[in-house]
């Protein structure tokens, strides 16, 4: 918002944070706190199609990209990549703004502008490391043409708020896409994986968290072309998720409620938990707006993606973590209130209703656990 005064920098704890080089005015601070998703996430009102667990829903499907390469390269069936390629090839947008591995840092992320299928596929696959795709929003808005934006749920929520103060953004960014997010790990999580591989960071030539199959391997390739890899269950389940920033643990919008279309892993279930065995990719596809639904229909008609209808009740079996975290938000926020810590504001989220879906013991346990971490 204030690129001349605020820059994004990587902190010693491995997270990206805004650094003010020049103090903001009171008016600027007010605008910042009205838009920053770290401070505020707000639905204008409860929509008629709002599901308390999964947000606004027009249609619920599973699917995959029809092109085998796109399906294989994507993290979960390649639907988001397929939609982006379709938008470019049908000339509904001139370019796509999304995140890929940084050209000068294989462990980091950078904003990428894609204008072709090849560009999109070069940025396919999840990047479980800090990213700030809106840090260069002013540059994006100044470029000729219209673009589709892909970001984390909080990125899209911020852009929606920014859009309300700047109506011209709607025409410039006709499509906003997102994915389900379990939280952003610190860069230290990636370094911990490399430590398990026994690979110094400076020797890494490329690093992929996922993709190249479903769920795909976490893979590091060194400067002398040695390859080190581990499965998704190990990399995410035992390393990366231990480095999540606290703000993500109190987020009610891990499912991208402000996007036009959301893609996610449509995990198959096994004993009540997602099964991470390698297989052909399958995406969960949620259209949240009429514009998003029209995009999905258009992509299907063009044979860019293939989908099947899904009962909304099935989402919880594929994404149990997202459901549980949203139900626990109120108890975790209560611990912040009690300790007089700053807490985000969430408007028009049914947090009390969601909390009552858990037992009193579960809520108390969540509250006490958060309290202990805050005090420590």
């Amino acid at each position: 918002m204030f690129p001349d005064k605020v820059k994004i920098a990587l902190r010693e704890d491995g997270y990206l944070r805004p650094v003010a080089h020049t103090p903001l005015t009171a008016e600027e601070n007010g605008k910042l706190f009205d838009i920053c998703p770290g401070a505020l996430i707000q639905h204008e009102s409860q929509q008629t199609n709002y599901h308390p667990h999964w947000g606004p829903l027009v249609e619920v499907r599973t699917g995959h990209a029809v092109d085998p390469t796109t399906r294989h390269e994507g993290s979960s069936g390649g639907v988001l990549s397929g939609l982006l390629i379709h938008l470019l090839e049908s000339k509904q947008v001139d370019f796509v703004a999304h995140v890929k591995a940084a050209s000068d840092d294989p462990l980091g992320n950078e904003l990428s502008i894609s204008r072709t299928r090849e560009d999109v596929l070069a940025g396919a696959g999840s990047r479980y490391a800090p990213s700030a795709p809106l840090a260069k929003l002013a540059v994006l808005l100044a470029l000729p043409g219209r673009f589709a934006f892909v970001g984390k749920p909080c990125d899209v929520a911020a852009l929606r708020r920014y859009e309300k103060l700047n109506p011209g953004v709607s025409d410039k960014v006709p499509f906003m896409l997102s994915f389900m997010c379990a939280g952003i790990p610190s860069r230290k999580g990636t370094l911990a994986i490399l430590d398990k591989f026994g690979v110094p960071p400076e020797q890494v030539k490329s690093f992929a968290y996922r993709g190249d199959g479903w769920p795909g391997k976490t893979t590091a390739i060194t400067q002398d072309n040695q390859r080190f890899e581990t499965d998704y269950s190990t990399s995410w389940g035992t390393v990366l998720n231990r480095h999540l920033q606290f703000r993500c643990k109190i987020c009610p919008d891990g499912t991208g409620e402000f996007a036009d279309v959301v893609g996610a892993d449509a995990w198959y279930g096994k004993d009540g938990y997602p099964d991470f065995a390698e297989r052909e990719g399958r995406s969960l596809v949620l259209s949240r707006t009429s514009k998003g639904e029209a995009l999905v229909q258009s992509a299907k008609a063009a044979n860019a993606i293939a989908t099947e209808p899904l009962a909304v009740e099935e989402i919880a079996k594929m994404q149990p973590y997202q459901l549980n975290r949203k139900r626990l938000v109120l108890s975790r926020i209560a611990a912040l209130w009690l300790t007089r810590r700053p807490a985000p504001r969430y408007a028009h989220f049914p947090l009390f209703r969601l909390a009552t879906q858990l037992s009193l013991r579960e809520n108390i346990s969540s509250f006490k656990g958060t309290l202990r971490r805050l005090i420590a």
Side-chain angles (χ1 to χ4, degrees):
M1 292 179 63
F2 314 107
D4 295 333
K5 294 186 174 184
V6 181
K7 303 295 181 184
I8 299 295
L10 189 68
R11 231 170 42 175
E12 286 188 7
D13 60 4
Y15 297 116
L16 289 173
R17 292 290 182 265
V19 178
H21 297 283
T22 304
L24 300 181
T25 67
E27 181 181 2
E28 288 171 337
N29 261 316
K31 288 182 178 180
L32 180 65
F33 275 82
D34 192 45
I35 290 178
C36 176
L40 171 68
I41 300 181
Q42 178 174 340
H43 284 294
E44 292 307 307
S45 60
Q46 291 286 9
Q47 302 99 317
T48 55
N49 64 334
Y50 189 90
H51 191 283
H53 298 159
W54 309 113
L57 295 176
V58 176
E59 292 291 342
V60 179
R61 303 175 174 93
T62 57
H64 59 84
V66 172
D67 173 62
T69 300
T70 305
R71 184 178 188 179
H72 189 74
E73 293 297 321
S75 287
S76 53
V79 163
L80 284 183
S81 296
L83 291 175
L84 298 176
I85 293 168
H86 171 67
L87 283 172
L88 290 169
E89 294 183 343
S90 61
K91 300 191 184 306
Q92 296 183 62
V93 298
D94 298 286
F95 63 94
V96 171
H98 60 140
V99 165
K100 69 176 184 179
S103 55
D104 59 351
D105 177 13
L107 308 184
N109 294 321
E110 68 181 7
L111 176 68
S112 175
I113 294 175
S114 292
R115 299 183 184 273
T116 66
R117 172 183 180 273
E118 291 71 26
D119 291 343
V120 170
L121 292 182
S126 299
R127 296 293 302 172
Y128 296 131
S131 64
L134 293 178
K136 295 183 179 179
L137 179 60
V139 175
L140 292 173
L141 295 175
L143 291 174
R146 306 198 310 165
F147 66 94
F149 176 79
V150 188
K152 304 182 297 296
C154 50
D155 298 324
V156 175
L159 189 54
R160 288 291 188 202
R161 294 289 298 171
Y162 186 80
E163 179 183 43
K164 295 186 182 303
L165 293 183
N166 301 270
V169 172
S170 300
D171 294 330
K172 191 73 177 179
V173 195
F175 297 97
M176 300 182 194
L177 283 67
S178 191
F179 40 83
M180 291 194 184
C181 174
I184 296 301
S186 161
R187 184 182 177 93
K188 290 184 177 181
T190 304
L191 296 178
I193 290 176
L194 289 177
D195 187 58
K196 284 181 174 291
F197 289 158
V199 175
E202 61 273 13
Q203 292 185 10
V204 177
K205 180 169 65 174
S206 69
F207 192 95
Y209 294 87
R210 287 186 62 189
D212 192 25
W214 186 53
K217 305 287 188 179
T218 297
T219 306
I221 298 177
T222 62
Q223 298 291 347
D224 57 358
N225 292 320
Q226 292 187 71
R227 184 184 184 93
F228 300 82
E229 63 181 31
T230 186
D231 59 69
Y232 172 76
S233 181
T234 299
S235 64
W236 177 264
T238 68
V239 182
L240 292 171
N241 71 359
R242 296 170 186 254
H243 294 269
L244 298 183
Q245 62 181 354
F246 178 72
R247 175 63 183 80
C248 298
K249 296 179 181 180
I250 56 172
C251 179
D253 182 30
T255 61
E257 295 192 14
F258 297 87
D260 294 304
V261 181
V262 169
D265 289 295
W267 301 117
Y268 293 91
K270 183 179 180 181
D271 300 324
Y273 295 94
D275 179 10
F276 299 138
E278 290 286 330
R279 49 169 58 93
E280 284 195 308
R282 184 175 73 159
S283 298
L284 176 62
V285 189
L286 308 181
S287 55
R288 297 199 179 281
T289 65
S290 57
K291 183 187 295 184
E293 174 61 15
L295 170 58
V296 172
Q297 293 282 11
S298 169
K300 287 175 60 180
N303 203 35
I305 64 172
T307 67
E308 296 181 356
L310 181 75
V312 68
E313 294 78 18
E314 296 297 307
I315 303 176
K317 300 175 184 177
M318 299 172 176
Q319 292 287 339
Y321 173 83
Q322 296 291 354
L323 176 59
N324 189 55
R325 177 174 57 167
K326 196 170 185 181
R327 286 171 168 173
L328 292 172
V329 166
L330 187 61
S331 61
R332 292 171 175 175
I333 288 290
L336 285 170
W337 292 335
L338 182 66
T339 56
R340 298 186 179 182
R341 308 291 180 92
R345 291 184 294 135
Y346 303 133
H348 302 295
F349 284 87
L351 299 184
F352 180 79
R353 176 181 172 186
L354 290 166
T356 60
Q357 294 174 359
L358 298 175
S359 68
L360 180 60
R361 175 177 292 181
E362 289 171 308
N363 277 289
I364 290 175
S365 176
S366 171
F367 171 79
K368 290 172 65 177
T370 306
L371 192 62
R372 281 196 300 268
R373 286 192 292 270
L374 290 172
I375 293 173

